[in-house]
Amino acid sequence: MLDDFMTRAMLAGVGVAFAAAPLGCFVVWRRMAYFGDATAHAAILGIALALALEVSIFAGAMVVALIMALTVTFLTGRGYAMDTILGVLAHSALAFGLVAVSFLSGIRIDLMAYLFGDILAVSKSDLIVIWGGATLVVALILWRWSALLMSTLNEELAYASGLHPKREQLVLTISLAITVAVAIKVVGVLLIAAMLIIPAAAARGLARTPEAMAGIAGAIGAVSAVAGLQGAYVLDTPAGPSIVCVAAILFAGLNLVGWRSKNAM
C-alpha cells in the first residue's frame, strides 16, 4: 500500500494535521500566529546549515526553529515588542538562509520544494519522521494540557495554582519547532503557519470545549490534506498550496454557515 505515492502523501498530510491541530488551537488562543510564521521562516536557515553539514534536514530545521523560538521568548519584554522582535528575526533568518543556500556549490537544491512543500515526494522514511514527530507533539500537549489551558486563560491564576507559565510556553515552543520540522516536506516553510492557524480558526465556531476544538481542528486539517491532494491531482495544481486552499474554503464555508444560523435565530 505504501508503494503508492498518493497514499504516502495522504498519510503525510494527515500526520501534519494530527500534530498541528492541538498546537494550532493554542496558537489561536494565545494570538501567536506571527510567532509560528517566524519560526517557520527560520527553518530555511536550518535547511541550509543541514545541507552544508550533511546532516538530517529534519534535525537542522528543528534545531534552528527551536533556537529562533527560544530567542524570541527570551527577548520579549526586554525593550522591544514581540511583533518587532519577530519581524527582525524572521526576515533576517529567512534572508540568511536563502543567501547560505546560494553558497552550497555542488548540491542540487529545489528551493521551491522547501518553500511550498513537496508532499508527492514523501518517502517511507519521511512518513516515519512525520508520524514520529506528530506523536511526540500530541504527547507533549496532552501531558501538559490542563497546565497549558490554565496558563493561556489566566497567568495570575496559573501562578496561584503553583504552575509556571514560562515553562508551559517552553512546551509550546518545543512543540512548534517539531511541527515546523515535520511539516516542511508537506506544505513547505511559507505555508506551515496556515496549517496551524486555519483549521483551528475554522473549528473555533463549532466547538463548545477546548478539547472539542482540538478534535474538530484535526478533522478539518485531515480533510483539507486529503481533498487538497485529490484536487491537485485532478487539476494539476501544486499540492501544498492546494491543501491550504481547501482549508481556507472550509474556514469560509463554516463561518458563512455559522453566520446564517445566528441571523436565522
Side-chain angles (χ1 to χ4, degrees), residues 12-13 50 56 97 125 143 164 209 222 224 243 254:
S56 166
S125 59
W143 173 48
H164 300 282
T209 65
S224 299
I243 291 172
L254 291 172

Side-chain angles (χ1 to χ4, degrees), residues 1-8 11 122 124 127:
M1 183 179 73
L2 292 180
D3 291 333
D4 182 4
F5 75 97
M6 280 296 288
T7 300
R8 293 196 301 271
L11 287 173
V122 167
K124 295 178 183 178
L127 279 179

